């Protein structure tokens, strides 16, 4: 596990003090890359530093974005945290399962993002659609809501523990593709599928979501990605040729 490749993303957090406490939780576990979806001027820096204690540097070095997709485009995995199950969420990792999953990615040079929603609403369905895997932290059915910083602490701790168990283990491999590159592949594939009339325009978004989910979890190499793109391009070319003949 390479903790320097772990990214914590807070999506429009409400409370400045929670950001500070989240920074402290990250520092406890040797994680320092903080990204916030929102505007820096919306937060009280003094309140953040009071709760961060000696981890205020994490907020000072944080980057701000307009969307989850923008904040995680250089990552291979974008994991949305949620306690609600739904039709589109698929399998939800437990924190320890996700740590195992993230270990391979980070050890091979990829960045892995863990996304936390607003304190009041959590991540909405549309925000979860910007992620490609989901993680859930089991909690009481009577009082299941966790404080933002507590959720960050739990996820960070499991990643930290995994790093301790794999510190001297060398994993050979390659860097999985970023989500930005995955999006390009998905665009190319669905362009070719549309050329051969595989679906109408209204069905394209569902197909794009399907391919994005599959490919982002496949740990493709760049060579494999190009081969896949060429395959779909050739299929479209052969289809056009057969129609002409």
């Amino acid at each position: 596990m390479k903790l320097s490749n772990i990214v914590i993303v807070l999506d429009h957090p409400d409370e400045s003090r929670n950001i500070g406490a989240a920074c402290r939780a990250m520092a406890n576990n040797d994680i320092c890359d903080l990204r916030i979806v929102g505007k820096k001027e919306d937060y009280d820096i003094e309140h953040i530093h009071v709760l961060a204690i000696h981890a205020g540097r994490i907020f000072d070095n944080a980057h701000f974005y307009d969307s989850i997709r923008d904040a995680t485009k250089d990552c291979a995995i974008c994991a949305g945290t949620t306690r609600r199950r739904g039709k589109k969420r698929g399998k939800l990792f437990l924190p320890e399962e996700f740590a195992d999953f993230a270990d391979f990615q980070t050890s091979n040079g990829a960045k892995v993002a863990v996304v936390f929603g607003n304190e009041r609403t959590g991540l909405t369905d549309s925000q979860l659609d910007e992620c490609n895997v989901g993680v859930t932290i089991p909690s009481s059915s009577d009082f299941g809501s966790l404080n933002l910083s507590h959720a960050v602490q739990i996820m960070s701790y499991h990643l930290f523990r995994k790093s301790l168990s794999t510190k001297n283990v060398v994993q050979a491999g390659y860097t999985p593709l970023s989500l930005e590159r995955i999006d390009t592949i998905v665009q190319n594939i669905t362009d070719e599928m549309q050329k051969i009339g595989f679906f109408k325009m209204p069905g394209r978004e569902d197909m794009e979501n399907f391919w994005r989910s599959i490919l982002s979890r496949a740990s493709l190499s760049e060579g494999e990605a190009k081969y896949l793109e060429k395959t779909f391009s050739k299929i479209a070319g052969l289809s056009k040729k057969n129609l002409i003949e």
Side-chain angles (χ1 to χ4, degrees):
M1 175 74 75
K2 192 174 180 181
L3 292 172
S4 59
N5 282 353
I6 297 294
V7 176
I8 299 297
V9 180
L10 307 182
D11 190 292
H12 292 98
D14 269 342
E15 176 56 59
S16 297
R17 289 172 293 186
N18 280 337
I19 298 174
C23 289
R24 184 176 183 182
M26 291 170 63
N28 287 155
N29 296 284
D30 286 344
I31 297 172
C32 59
D33 192 342
L34 175 64
R35 304 179 186 184
I36 297 175
V37 180
K39 299 181 186 302
K40 186 173 184 177
E41 57 266 27
D42 289 341
Y43 301 106
D44 187 318
I45 296 178
E46 184 178 349
H47 284 175
I48 290 171
H49 277 259
V50 167
L51 267 293
I53 311 296
H54 298 297
R57 68 188 186 283
I58 291 179
F59 176 79
D60 296 338
N61 293 324
H63 293 89
F64 291 77
Y65 299 85
D66 293 326
S67 69
I68 292 171
R69 186 158 292 192
D70 284 342
T72 61
K73 65 184 180 181
D74 63 332
C75 300
I77 296 296
C78 174
T81 55
T82 178
R83 65 186 181 90
R84 301 190 304 275
R85 296 184 179 274
K87 291 182 180 179
K88 299 179 74 174
R89 292 190 172 95
K91 169 182 166 54
L92 296 178
F93 287 101
L94 294 173
E96 59 272 24
E97 294 173 332
F98 178 71
D100 290 337
F101 181 56
D103 180 36
F104 170 80
Q105 304 286 338
T106 62
S107 296
N108 286 293
K111 289 184 180 292
V112 171
V114 188
V115 185
F116 300 84
N118 174 275
E119 295 94 321
R120 292 177 294 103
T121 62
L123 292 174
T124 64
D125 285 340
S126 62
Q127 289 168 334
L128 283 166
D129 283 345
E130 296 184 71
C131 306
N132 58 326
V133 298
V135 185
T136 188
I137 301 172
S139 56
S140 169
S141 58
D142 293 327
F143 192 65
S145 179
L146 293 172
N147 176 273
L148 173 61
S149 65
H150 293 176
V152 173
Q153 178 68 265
I154 291 169
M155 290 303 303
S156 298
Y157 174 72
H158 279 282
L159 294 165
F160 178 72
R161 282 294 303 272
K162 186 65 181 179
S163 76
L164 295 180
S165 67
T166 60
K167 184 165 285 188
N168 297 316
V169 178
V170 177
Q171 297 192 35
Y174 51 86
T175 303
L177 302 178
S178 69
L179 291 176
E180 186 175 33
R181 177 67 176 108
I182 292 292
D183 285 340
T184 301
I185 301 168
V186 171
Q187 178 76 35
N188 292 336
I189 288 175
T190 50
D191 280 348
E192 303 298 350
M193 293 178 74
Q194 190 167 332
K195 287 178 185 177
I196 63 175
F198 188 87
F199 52 77
K200 302 295 183 182
M201 278 302 294
R204 178 162 179 155
E205 184 178 355
D206 287 341
M207 184 61 67
E208 288 176 343
N209 289 337
F210 168 78
W211 279 108
R212 189 173 192 262
S213 175
I214 292 295
L215 296 179
S216 60
R217 289 184 278 116
S219 297
L220 295 176
S221 68
E222 180 59 32
E224 291 169 330
K226 289 179 178 177
Y227 189 84
L228 188 62
E229 289 172 317
K230 288 179 181 178
T231 299
F232 277 87
S233 178
K234 189 170 184 178
I235 290 171
L238 288 172
S239 177
K240 183 178 179 180
K241 181 180 178 182
N242 290 336
L243 284 174
I244 293 174
E245 292 176 353

